[in-house]
Amino acid sequence: MMKIPYFEVDAFASKPFHGNPAGVCPLKTWLSDVTMQSIAAENNLSETAFFVPRGEEYELRWFAPAMEIDLCGHATLASAFILFTELGANGNAVRFHSKSGPLVVARNDAVLTLDFPSRPPAPCVVPDALIRGLGKAPVQALKARDYFAIYAKADDVWSLKPDFAVLGTLDEKVIVTAPGIDCDFVSRFFAPTAGVPEDPVTGSAHCTLIPYWSERLGKTKLFARQISKRGGELFCELAGDRVLIGGKAVLYSRGEIEIDDTPAQTR
């Protein structure tokens, strides 16, 4: 039997039971894809992150309960938090290599800042399932990786009661957003296609939210709230073709996973 260190971290939060919980599994070598997917399904969190050393840097992958994800903010932040606080990472930044390219997480006291690619939304053909699934037509709908539905006010976003069965028929996940009241903008994120009906706080969604709201509001530094039930706060900045996404993290638990793994598959 193999024992794997396991941590659960509340990301984009300054106290437990807020923000977005992520599983973090530091590895010496890759497990099989089947095993990593099984661990993510067993954890049943929106994402479980796995990383292995590459010299002084790390290779990083993320798995939702139903599939591998190409980019995940909160589990990246959680992984960096564990490296800094539990595994003795030196310096004030860690560098990951991922399916979305190189990702850097910088530390400034308690705030960790993700350096992610910018993904501005563009006009798209709006599927009928998007409108039916959200239950209320947005003012405008665009798309980057995910569908991007814009509403007039924060209450419109807060009051949405999506039909996840309908949204699950879409080819991608769904960001909904509106101007904020005590922040620059608010959002929610629905990902039933990945086995996550609503994600509490979604770093990768801000790869699209930040360039949109930066252009609309005429500013590069923004403060955002994701208004899920758990809620989260994000300190955002547009930096050319990159976005900077800052937040705090809190350790919830540490332990071990005990498994019998098959030989690791090639990536």
Side-chain angles (χ1 to χ4, degrees):
M1 299 298 291
M2 176 186 298
K3 292 184 178 181
I4 300 167
Y6 177 72
F7 303 89
E8 190 169 320
V9 176
D10 289 339
F12 296 114
S14 56
K15 56 184 178 180
F17 311 120
H18 293 75
N20 199 351
V24 179
C25 292
L27 304 174
K28 295 180 180 178
T29 59
W30 287 114
L31 305 172
S32 67
D33 289 5
V34 170
T35 297
M36 289 189 287
Q37 187 63 74
S38 297
I39 290 171
E42 185 79 6
N43 290 345
N44 200 31
L45 301 170
S46 56
E47 268 84 24
T48 298
F50 302 83
F51 60 79
V52 299
R54 184 203 280 189
E56 295 183 355
E57 301 175 350
Y58 303 87
E59 294 185 12
L60 175 64
R61 297 173 72 182
W62 314 273
F63 286 79
M67 66 175 67
E68 185 172 6
I69 301 297
D70 70 333
L71 184 64
C72 177
H74 83 282
T76 303
L77 187 144
S79 297
F81 175 80
I82 292 302
L83 281 164
F84 284 130
T85 62
E86 300 289 326
L87 303 181
N90 296 319
N92 290 318
V94 293
R95 185 178 181 89
F96 296 107
H97 299 271
S98 76
K99 291 188 174 182
S100 291
L103 305 172
V104 176
V105 185
R107 172 173 58 173
N108 184 6
D109 294 328
V111 176
L112 301 178
T113 300
L114 309 171
D115 182 337
F116 270 25
S118 175
R119 292 174 168 175
C124 68
V125 175
V126 181
D128 177 65
L130 178 66
I131 307 302
R132 289 190 294 109
L134 292 174
K136 178 180 176 64
V139 173
Q140 185 181 16
L142 305 170
K143 189 181 182 186
R145 178 193 70 178
D146 309 310
Y147 289 102
F148 191 82
I150 304 150
Y151 289 88
K153 56 185 186 296
D155 281 349
D156 293 333
V157 172
W158 178 257
S159 64
L160 288 175
K161 297 180 179 178
D163 185 327
F164 294 118
V166 175
L167 291 183
T169 66
L170 295 169
D171 59 332
E172 276 299 349
K173 299 164 280 292
V174 180
I175 304 165
V176 295
T177 188
I181 298 172
D182 61 347
C183 58
D184 290 301
F185 63 88
V186 300
S187 68
R188 293 172 69 186
F189 187 78
F190 309 125
T193 56
V196 183
E198 180 166 2
D199 194 37
V201 192
T202 315
S204 64
H206 288 73
C207 295
T208 302
L209 287 158
I210 292 170
Y212 173 82
W213 286 107
S214 178
E215 180 178 4
R216 178 165 164 177
L217 299 177
K219 56 196 295 189
T220 57
K221 293 186 177 182
L222 304 140
F223 176 60
R225 295 188 187 278
Q226 191 154 333
I227 52 174
S228 63
K229 184 177 180 180
R230 289 174 65 100
E233 299 179 344
L234 304 98
F235 304 94
C236 308
E237 183 175 354
L238 182 66
D241 62 353
R242 308 290 292 181
V243 294
L244 306 179
I245 309 164
K248 298 180 180 181
V250 181
L251 179 65
Y252 173 68
S253 67
R254 63 168 66 86
E256 290 180 332
I257 296 172
E258 189 169 293
I259 58 168
D260 182 10
D261 188 45
T262 56
Q265 301 173 0
T266 58
R267 293 183 66 186

